[in-house]
Short mmCIF file of all heavy atoms in Angstrom, two decimals:
data_model
loop_
_atom_site.label_atom_id
_atom_site.label_comp_id
_atom_site.label_asym_id
_atom_site.label_seq_id
_atom_site.Cartn_x
_atom_site.Cartn_y
_atom_site.Cartn_z
N VAL A 36 29.27 3.19 32.82
CA VAL A 36 28.12 2.44 33.33
C VAL A 36 27.07 3.38 33.89
O VAL A 36 25.87 3.22 33.65
CB VAL A 36 28.58 1.43 34.40
CG1 VAL A 36 27.37 0.78 35.08
CG2 VAL A 36 29.47 0.36 33.78
N ALA A 37 27.52 4.39 34.61
CA ALA A 37 26.57 5.36 35.17
C ALA A 37 25.85 6.13 34.06
O ALA A 37 24.64 6.35 34.12
CB ALA A 37 27.31 6.33 36.11
N ALA A 38 26.64 6.54 33.05
CA ALA A 38 26.03 7.28 31.94
C ALA A 38 25.00 6.43 31.23
O ALA A 38 23.89 6.89 30.92
CB ALA A 38 27.11 7.76 30.98
N LEU A 39 25.37 5.16 30.96
CA LEU A 39 24.42 4.27 30.29
C LEU A 39 23.21 4.02 31.17
O LEU A 39 22.07 3.94 30.69
CB LEU A 39 25.10 2.95 29.94
CG LEU A 39 26.15 3.01 28.82
CD1 LEU A 39 26.82 1.65 28.64
CD2 LEU A 39 25.50 3.44 27.51
N GLY A 40 23.44 3.89 32.51
CA GLY A 40 22.31 3.68 33.42
C GLY A 40 21.38 4.87 33.44
O GLY A 40 20.15 4.71 33.40
N ILE A 41 21.97 6.07 33.51
CA ILE A 41 21.13 7.29 33.50
C ILE A 41 20.34 7.39 32.20
O ILE A 41 19.15 7.71 32.19
CB ILE A 41 22.02 8.53 33.71
CG1 ILE A 41 22.59 8.52 35.13
CG2 ILE A 41 21.22 9.80 33.46
CD1 ILE A 41 23.64 9.61 35.36
N LEU A 42 21.03 7.11 31.09
CA LEU A 42 20.34 7.16 29.79
C LEU A 42 19.22 6.13 29.73
O LEU A 42 18.11 6.42 29.26
CB LEU A 42 21.34 6.92 28.66
CG LEU A 42 22.31 8.06 28.36
CD1 LEU A 42 23.36 7.60 27.34
CD2 LEU A 42 21.57 9.29 27.84
N ALA A 43 19.51 4.91 30.23
CA ALA A 43 18.50 3.85 30.19
C ALA A 43 17.30 4.22 31.06
O ALA A 43 16.14 4.02 30.66
CB ALA A 43 19.11 2.53 30.66
N ILE A 44 17.57 4.76 32.27
CA ILE A 44 16.46 5.15 33.16
C ILE A 44 15.65 6.27 32.53
O ILE A 44 14.41 6.27 32.55
CB ILE A 44 17.02 5.56 34.53
CG1 ILE A 44 17.62 4.34 35.25
CG2 ILE A 44 15.92 6.18 35.39
CD1 ILE A 44 18.36 4.69 36.53
N THR A 45 16.35 7.24 31.97
CA THR A 45 15.65 8.38 31.36
C THR A 45 14.79 7.93 30.19
O THR A 45 13.63 8.34 30.06
CB THR A 45 16.67 9.43 30.88
OG1 THR A 45 17.51 9.80 31.98
CG2 THR A 45 15.95 10.66 30.35
N VAL A 46 15.38 7.08 29.35
CA VAL A 46 14.60 6.56 28.21
C VAL A 46 13.42 5.74 28.71
O VAL A 46 12.32 5.80 28.16
CB VAL A 46 15.50 5.72 27.27
CG1 VAL A 46 14.66 5.00 26.22
CG2 VAL A 46 16.53 6.61 26.59
N GLY A 47 13.64 4.95 29.80
CA GLY A 47 12.55 4.17 30.35
C GLY A 47 11.42 5.04 30.88
O GLY A 47 10.25 4.65 30.83
N ARG A 48 11.81 6.21 31.41
CA ARG A 48 10.80 7.12 31.97
C ARG A 48 10.05 7.87 30.86
O ARG A 48 8.81 7.91 30.85
CB ARG A 48 11.47 8.12 32.91
CG ARG A 48 12.02 7.51 34.19
CD ARG A 48 10.94 7.37 35.25
NE ARG A 48 11.49 6.86 36.50
CZ ARG A 48 11.78 7.64 37.52
NH1 ARG A 48 11.58 8.95 37.46
NH2 ARG A 48 12.27 7.10 38.63
N VAL A 49 10.79 8.51 29.98
CA VAL A 49 10.17 9.39 28.98
C VAL A 49 9.94 8.70 27.65
O VAL A 49 9.18 9.19 26.80
CB VAL A 49 11.01 10.67 28.78
CG1 VAL A 49 11.18 11.40 30.09
CG2 VAL A 49 12.37 10.33 28.15
N GLY A 50 10.61 7.55 27.43
CA GLY A 50 10.44 6.84 26.17
C GLY A 50 11.38 7.34 25.09
O GLY A 50 11.87 8.47 25.14
N ALA A 51 11.62 6.47 24.13
CA ALA A 51 12.43 6.82 22.96
C ALA A 51 11.48 7.26 21.86
O ALA A 51 10.65 6.48 21.38
CB ALA A 51 13.28 5.65 22.50
N GLU A 52 11.59 8.49 21.45
CA GLU A 52 10.61 9.08 20.54
C GLU A 52 11.11 9.03 19.09
O GLU A 52 12.22 9.48 18.78
CB GLU A 52 10.34 10.54 20.93
CG GLU A 52 9.19 11.17 20.19
CD GLU A 52 7.84 10.66 20.65
OE1 GLU A 52 7.74 10.15 21.79
OE2 GLU A 52 6.88 10.77 19.88
N ALA A 227 25.01 1.59 22.29
CA ALA A 227 23.97 1.68 23.32
C ALA A 227 23.77 3.13 23.74
O ALA A 227 22.63 3.61 23.86
CB ALA A 227 24.34 0.82 24.51
N ALA A 228 24.88 3.84 23.95
CA ALA A 228 24.76 5.25 24.32
C ALA A 228 24.15 6.06 23.19
O ALA A 228 23.29 6.93 23.42
CB ALA A 228 26.15 5.80 24.70
N ILE A 230 22.12 5.10 20.69
CA ILE A 230 20.70 4.83 20.47
C ILE A 230 19.85 5.48 21.57
O ILE A 230 18.77 6.03 21.31
CB ILE A 230 20.46 3.32 20.41
CG1 ILE A 230 21.15 2.72 19.18
CG2 ILE A 230 18.97 3.02 20.37
CD1 ILE A 230 20.69 3.30 17.87
N ALA A 231 20.36 5.44 22.81
CA ALA A 231 19.61 6.07 23.91
C ALA A 231 19.53 7.58 23.70
O ALA A 231 18.47 8.19 23.89
CB ALA A 231 20.28 5.75 25.24
N ILE A 232 20.65 8.18 23.31
CA ILE A 232 20.64 9.63 23.07
C ILE A 232 19.72 9.98 21.91
O ILE A 232 18.98 10.97 21.95
CB ILE A 232 22.08 10.13 22.80
CG1 ILE A 232 22.93 9.95 24.07
CG2 ILE A 232 22.07 11.58 22.37
CD1 ILE A 232 24.41 10.24 23.85
N ILE A 233 19.74 9.17 20.86
CA ILE A 233 18.85 9.41 19.72
C ILE A 233 17.39 9.38 20.16
O ILE A 233 16.56 10.20 19.75
CB ILE A 233 19.11 8.38 18.61
CG1 ILE A 233 20.48 8.61 17.97
CG2 ILE A 233 18.02 8.44 17.53
CD1 ILE A 233 20.93 7.50 17.04
N GLY A 234 17.05 8.38 21.02
CA GLY A 234 15.68 8.30 21.51
C GLY A 234 15.27 9.54 22.28
O GLY A 234 14.12 10.00 22.18
N LEU A 235 16.22 10.10 23.07
CA LEU A 235 15.91 11.31 23.83
C LEU A 235 15.86 12.54 22.92
O LEU A 235 15.01 13.41 23.09
CB LEU A 235 16.96 11.51 24.93
CG LEU A 235 16.99 10.43 26.02
CD1 LEU A 235 18.11 10.70 27.00
CD2 LEU A 235 15.65 10.35 26.74
N VAL A 236 16.77 12.60 21.97
CA VAL A 236 16.78 13.73 21.03
C VAL A 236 15.47 13.76 20.24
O VAL A 236 15.00 14.82 19.81
CB VAL A 236 18.00 13.64 20.10
CG1 VAL A 236 17.91 14.67 18.97
CG2 VAL A 236 19.28 13.86 20.89
N GLY A 237 14.86 12.56 20.06
CA GLY A 237 13.60 12.49 19.31
C GLY A 237 12.49 13.29 19.95
O GLY A 237 11.49 13.61 19.28
N HIS A 238 12.62 13.64 21.24
CA HIS A 238 11.62 14.49 21.89
C HIS A 238 11.77 15.94 21.46
O HIS A 238 10.85 16.74 21.65
CB HIS A 238 11.74 14.38 23.41
CG HIS A 238 11.32 13.04 23.94
ND1 HIS A 238 10.02 12.73 24.22
CD2 HIS A 238 12.05 11.92 24.23
CE1 HIS A 238 9.95 11.48 24.67
NE2 HIS A 238 11.17 10.97 24.69
N VAL A 239 12.94 16.29 20.94
CA VAL A 239 13.20 17.67 20.53
C VAL A 239 13.16 17.81 19.01
O VAL A 239 12.62 18.77 18.47
CB VAL A 239 14.57 18.13 21.07
CG1 VAL A 239 14.86 19.58 20.67
CG2 VAL A 239 14.64 17.97 22.58
#
Side-chain angles (χ1 to χ4, degrees):
V36 172
L39 289 176
I41 292 172
L42 287 173
I44 293 172
T45 305
V46 171
R48 292 276 184 100
V49 303
E52 189 73 22
I230 295 301
I232 294 172
I233 291 170
L235 295 177
V236 171
H238 291 275
V239 181

